[in-house]
Amino acid sequence: MKKILYIVLDGLGDGKYPCKELGNRTPLEAAATPSMDMLAREGQTGLMYTVGKDIAPESDIAVISILGYDAMKYYTGRGPLEALAAGIKINDGDLAFRANFATRGTGRNIKDRRVGRNLSTEEAMQLCKEINKKIKLESVPARFKFKSTLEYRGVLVFSGIKNKLSGYVTNTDPAYIKHGLLGVAKKTGSYENMVEYCIPSKDSRNPNAAYRSALLVNEFTLKSCEVLDQSEVNKKRIKKGYLPANLILLRDAGDCLPKLPSIKSKFKKNFGCFVEMPTEEGVALLTGMKIVPIPPPTKDLENDYTLRANMTIRHIKNFDGLYIHIKGPDIPGHDGDAIKKKTVIEMLDKYYITPLINKIDMDKTIVAITADHSTPCRLKSHSDDPVPLLISGGDVRPDNTKSFSEKACLTGKIGKIYGTQLMPLLIKYANANK
């Protein structure tokens, strides 16, 4: 049996949205990626709808799907997954949200959804302490815990004192919409950049719980703004010319953790993983993958990717497979920076992929490279475009693909598949004798 290296480059694809500044090519098309191109030539390629056609997925539901689970069956919201990864215990009937520190303009207007991307984790932790200490909820008998995770990101969990709460409430973050419990990114420019009021959505199980939950969210949003406006952290940021973190945006509520069968029981393989974000860590914990600790990403991409390559080479011998999720390309995609995204992809190829294929035995390893979703620079958000996919190594016979890009993968032998089909395909190749 062969080892599996399952590499997910977050937001890698740009789908049908080429960039003028790159000669009407996507960042992946324009990037110099000799190692990924070589893997594509020696293997097979295709395109993958990570969740389904016409769905612009968030990372959580996409990762659940590309690990081989029917997300529509198991998914309970992003909030509980991130809370689990943050070390917050979630009981059924608690209400958990993914949170972003943001910058509020006048009234309900949002000036920046991510505080200029320069809020430090240390600043966020101090703001969390103030909020947890100073806010007292009065609309509904409940407790809350707000915790920062990485930079501007955080999680918020409410626990009802007398009654359970419901995840069937809308987001306050206008950039995302909920369909039931499924969170979907809106296209940039398709919404007003204003804080939304949280309202109950359809919950046939317990509409009163949804009403209570919406009351709590709106109360927390208002009171947290008051605390953040008075924070010394924000006063210092303003003096430095930085945007204040004076707003908390909430999205993707859930009121319980998904009950996922372990990946070992499902696929008879012992998987380890390297993940960088709380969402992926939450999914890893629920699927029983062994999390290999890695330092958080920095601005030194050469060092980050070299370190991850060395750790992958060192740890693959301990597992049947490794799931590696690297945030890199997604951030410049959201920022609309095609040049930066191209650079990140080139750095990944040079400092992560190249050392890997130079060190591992490709005859005894199945390497898959793909993405959890597309993040086109032109949209600055996730899209419903399928993501490029390559599978190489072992006994995988080459098709006629010459390079690794959205267009090149369009004619690959794998064709178009869905996220839930990829893991079974990798297991098949890993177990093949010839």
Side-chain angles (χ1 to χ4, degrees), residues 19-39:
C19 304
K20 289 183 180 179
E21 58 267 50
L22 297 176
N24 286 320
R25 296 173 295 172
T26 68
L28 181 57
E29 285 180 302
T33 54
S35 291
M36 285 191 274
D37 291 345
M38 183 272 290
L39 289 173

Side-chain angles (χ1 to χ4, degrees), residues 4 13 22 36 117 124 159 186 190 227 230 281 290 305 346 350 376 390 414-415 419:
I4 296 173
L22 297 176
M36 285 191 274
R117 284 200 189 274
S159 299
K186 297 178 184 177
S190 67
V227 172
Q230 299 302 315
E281 186 173 347
K290 174 69 174 179
Y305 297 154
E346 290 177 338
K350 183 175 182 179
L390 73 80
I414 297 172

Side-chain angles (χ1 to χ4, degrees), residues 239-256:
K239 285 183 180 180
K240 294 178 181 177
Y242 296 159
L243 294 172
N246 59 2
L247 171 66
I248 297 170
L249 295 174
L250 303 174
R251 72 178 195 258
D252 304 331
D255 55 36
C256 64

